[in-house]
Amino acid sequence: PGLARELLGTFGEGDGGRRLYRHDLVNMMTQEDADCAWHMLAACSTSTCDGISQPEFVAAVRGTFVRFHMIAATVKDNAAIWLVFSNVLKSVQAFLCCITVVSVFFSSEILQSLGLWLSTSFLGLSFVFGGFLKEIFESVVLILVVHPYDVGDRISLGGQDAEVLTVQKINFLMTEAR
């Protein structure tokens, strides 16, 4: 933001009013950074002359700011999903460690009755929560592997005459669009 404000104050006088020129960028940053910035600004310019007008500069900076925040929101959502996965893996690891410790210290009769009780409980819970867990797994695969859309994408739900929505946030089980 500081460099953008500084650049906004350095508009040179050119044909047709205040404009920013490539040499203004070179004076404020390295040649490589100036080339990248000029390429981005020139893509937003609608004029045929060499300079960028002040409104075009402001629109380009705002567009870059919006894209940056969309990417940051996507990274944040993906990080939250991976955090849930890592917590699940830690729980599975702790469970396997407990089973190993129990198998070392208890007799085979106790382990058989415990195994029968755990398998029966697991079977019952799988009937209760199986569909829910399947939906969660399919949602995670869809979001992380297939990746049908990203934050900032415009989507239409319901055909040609449907309202076009912009994806605002992607969560573990839901996507927010406005």
Side-chain angles (χ1 to χ4, degrees):
L3 182 60
R5 283 190 194 101
E6 194 173 337
L7 282 170
L8 192 58
T10 63
F11 275 79
E13 295 298 326
D15 301 330
R18 297 172 51 94
R19 302 193 75 75
L20 180 69
Y21 296 96
R22 186 181 204 115
H23 65 82
D24 295 323
L25 296 176
V26 173
N27 292 337
M28 302 185 80
M29 57 184 76
T30 66
Q31 181 68 40
E32 184 179 342
D33 290 342
D35 290 340
C36 289
W38 186 256
H39 179 69
M40 180 202 65
L41 291 170
C44 297
S45 176
T46 56
S47 63
T48 57
C49 64
D50 291 337
I52 304 293
S53 70
Q54 189 173 1
E56 291 171 338
F57 175 78
V58 170
V61 171
R62 283 186 181 154
T64 302
F65 182 76
V66 167
R67 284 189 301 277
F68 170 78
H69 282 285
M70 287 180 185
I71 290 169
T74 300
V75 169
K76 180 182 172 189
D77 293 338
N78 286 342
I81 291 170
W82 285 113
L83 179 65
V84 169
F85 273 140
S86 67
N87 289 339
V88 167
L89 289 177
K90 286 178 186 176
S91 299
V92 168
Q93 182 183 16
F95 178 72
L96 291 175
C97 287
C98 289
I99 288 177
T100 304
V101 169
V102 166
S103 67
V104 169
F105 291 113
F106 291 101
S107 67
S108 63
E109 295 83 27
I110 294 174
L111 290 177
Q112 285 177 345
S113 63
L114 182 64
L116 182 61
W117 180 81
L118 284 175
S119 63
T120 305
S121 299
F122 181 76
L123 182 63
L125 291 174
S126 68
F127 283 119
V128 174
F129 295 111
F132 177 71
L133 293 175
K134 178 181 175 255
E135 291 290 328
I136 289 175
F137 181 74
E138 289 173 351
S139 298
V140 168
V141 168
L142 178 71
I143 290 172
L144 295 178
V145 177
V146 177
H147 208 68
Y149 46 81
D150 207 354
V151 173
D153 287 352
R154 298 173 57 96
I155 57 173
S156 173
L157 303 175
Q160 293 178 346
D161 297 333
E163 181 181 3
V164 176
L165 304 171
T166 303
V167 177
Q168 299 292 322
K169 188 175 185 180
I170 299 174
N171 285 334
F172 196 58
L173 294 175
M174 129 181 124
T175 300
E176 181 180 322
R178 294 183 198 162

